[in-house]
Amino acid sequence: MKRASILMVLLTIIISIISPRVSAQPGFGTQQLLNDNWLFLLKDEPGAANPGFDDKGWRKLDLPHDWSIEAPLSPTLASCTGYLPGGIGWYRRVINVSPELEGKRVFIYFDGVYNRSSVYINGQLLGYRPNGYVSFAYDLTPYLRYGEPNTLAVRVDHSKSADSRWYTGSGIYRNVYLVTCEPVHFDLWGVTYNTSGVTARSATVHVSAKIINESGTDANVNVRFQLADSTGKVVSGKMVSMKLAPGTSELSSDLRVKDPVLWSLDSPCLYRLNAVIYYGGKDIDESAFNAGIRTLKFDPDKGFALNGKWMKVKGVCIHHDAGVLGSAVPPQVLESRLKTLKTLGCNAIRMSHNLQAPELYDLCDKLGFLIMDEGFDEFEFPKKKWLEGWNVGEPGYQGSYDFFNEWSDRDIKAMVLRDRNHPSVFMWSIGNEVDYPNDPYTHPILSSSRFNQPVSGGYDPKRPGIERLVPIGKRLSGDVREIDTTRPVTGALAGVIMTNETEYPACLDVVGYNYTEDMYAIDHKRFPGRVIYGSENGHSYNAWKAVRDNDFIFGQFIWTGFDYLGESLPWPSRGFGSGLLDLAGFVKPLGYFRMAMWSEKPVTFLGTYLRPARSRRPLSDSALPFWNYSAGDTVRVVCYTNCRQSQLFLNGTSFGSPKDFDDNSGIVSWDVPFSPGRLEVVGLADGKEVARYSVETSGRSSAIVATPDKIKASAGNHLIQVTVGIVDQNGIPVMLADDEVTCIVTGPAKLLGMESASNTDTGDWHDNVQRVYHGRLLAYIRTTGQAGEVSVTFSAPWLKPAIVVFRVE
């Protein structure tokens, strides 16, 4: 058969390579991104820390890097981590330190290494950090050879690959920085602020700074604090003088701000706080970061108020991976996903159940999201995980429990110190579901008729008692309050009926309830001083109504914002599909259902599926927005909406009278005899159209369309996300298409992967061939830093290809 003539969709983009100003999380010194020119070996190699070790055969790569996502999936591996392996790996890199830096201090700073990392310089062990999510730094200075090559080596031990209930990734999966500073410098995360006396006319910004003097003698310094508005205009400033003895000193100052512009969800205004140390007539260190002026208030009867306005928190829980990218997720991907969530009415993110990439917090500051920052998913005992497949044999008990007692104080403090300057952070969570009934804790009430939560068996005296949580809760809450008292301490309870028998909830300022909406009113009456919210919730309409209709419940966090890897079902299944967005970041029907509940704007959406034997109104992704069936089929049409009435049209003809909004289910539905053409629903208010959504019957696949996102610079390279879709000869999307698309990249760029969002896709995600799912996929293209023209071609048998062309200058 002769191939059809080629139609190319040509999109031309100009990219200018501009290295952005590096502003890393350490908050001191001069920071240099150290992501390039690393060597890697996926093997435990004795002697690899030594400078003379032969690493000629090692793989060259740039960070961030996740080795687990590169491996093939296997049904014999743990379902909890998405049937992907862990292992032990080594990273090595040569760093050259100029002789001009002698007398200064040099540090290495890691945003995150998963996990159980050991860091060496010139064969000298700098330290061990088992937690794979915390950020940390080491002082290289005593072991450096100035003017000569220095060997930095990192051993990463993820041999306990099933140490989490979700996909973690493996390796140095976040940024690394080399930090240089004078002997007198700000401490790591040492500059911070809080606000008070906030009114429309004025506010006070309390700034404090920890300064380290490693000069060996007293140092007379001046420290200047300045606050600038979004235009760069300095609105307040002060100079503080102090004599610093060797060691660590702390100083503070108050900045008065006239007519402050408050940080809010709709208008996330950010100031720039700048602190500079002057010593010997020179400015020797600087710390600068975005700051926001806002007020938080929590009340057991009224809920939560931001800047004095009582509101509902419409949050989602998220894990940290992005499908084929694994855990090494570029900030552009995070930004596009957050912006999509914003369109759905989402206003809060729960970092479940660990610290996440620093860039994500910056984006929440800028875009206007509240953050619930969270420390742990388990305490002193591990939770059950399937180690070989799903529901096979006995569950195992790998986890982080073995280093919890030794490291938990340092880890929770690191979370608060690192993230406290983000105005988006409004709660500190010390733990998630650490009280899950019989996994691991137990209590006699589990055998009582009063206990009605799902649980594996009744009271089990062989398991640890729930009362063990109390001293841990007091200790961790105390760690948080030692650093920050401006935000409440919270925790997410899974066995609230059981945990109420202890003092653990009293350790918390705000108490989160997971999937126990039926306990809201009961516990509000029983514990009238308790502030309650939904810390983890399902997608049901009633779960939202429990928030909407009760002032004393200030919000909910849906499980989840994005589909994620791990916590998989039986093979083939690479992840969990509870997200409002799928693995590619596309909005799912669940997302539109949530949008209808949360959005302040009129919303309407329709999905369809063959009418089931039993009449039901689904809350699932089986209701897809397409209109391709067979003659004689009766199709269930469901509408997710917040409009007062909805009118259905088929090929321009009304299908009955408008239907009223159903506040029992949040869904309007019709059973429609299939006829090809255009199906559309119109949302009405007072008889007038306020929203419209339509789908059309598509023909056979005819062409590929490729649409790149807005190009943004990122640390010397650029990530282009290209949405690839299949359309028929009339340009109508073909949702039933499963064509195999090939991507060819020429020029100074490379393909990172193509994400179809199919949860059952267990093939090679990193080659240049991928089947579309629901007629589309997302391709990740990264430039390599050189100038030149890049051409990206998407093709499939018998389809007209699409070409994206851009120039890097």
Side-chain angles (χ1 to χ4, degrees), residues 483-519:
I483 300 169
D484 181 28
T485 58
T486 68
R487 304 169 176 94
V489 177
T490 188
L493 305 186
V496 62
I497 298 175
M498 176 179 70
T499 310
N500 278 342
E501 300 300 306
T502 75
E503 295 180 9
Y504 182 72
C507 301
L508 311 172
D509 303 308
V510 175
V511 184
Y513 284 41
N514 284 15
Y515 307 105
T516 46
E517 293 85 359
D518 60 329
M519 293 298 299

Side-chain angles (χ1 to χ4, degrees), residues 27-50:
F28 75 100
T30 300
Q31 301 123 20
Q32 173 190 349
L33 197 63
L34 206 66
N35 283 351
D36 60 342
N37 299 318
W38 286 80
L39 298 175
F40 172 71
L41 181 69
L42 185 53
K43 180 183 178 182
D44 194 10
E45 192 69 75
N50 298 324

Side-chain angles (χ1 to χ4, degrees), residues 609-616 636:
Y609 62 97
L610 285 175
R611 187 182 67 181
R614 296 181 180 180
S615 179
R616 62 185 176 92
R636 175 67 50 86

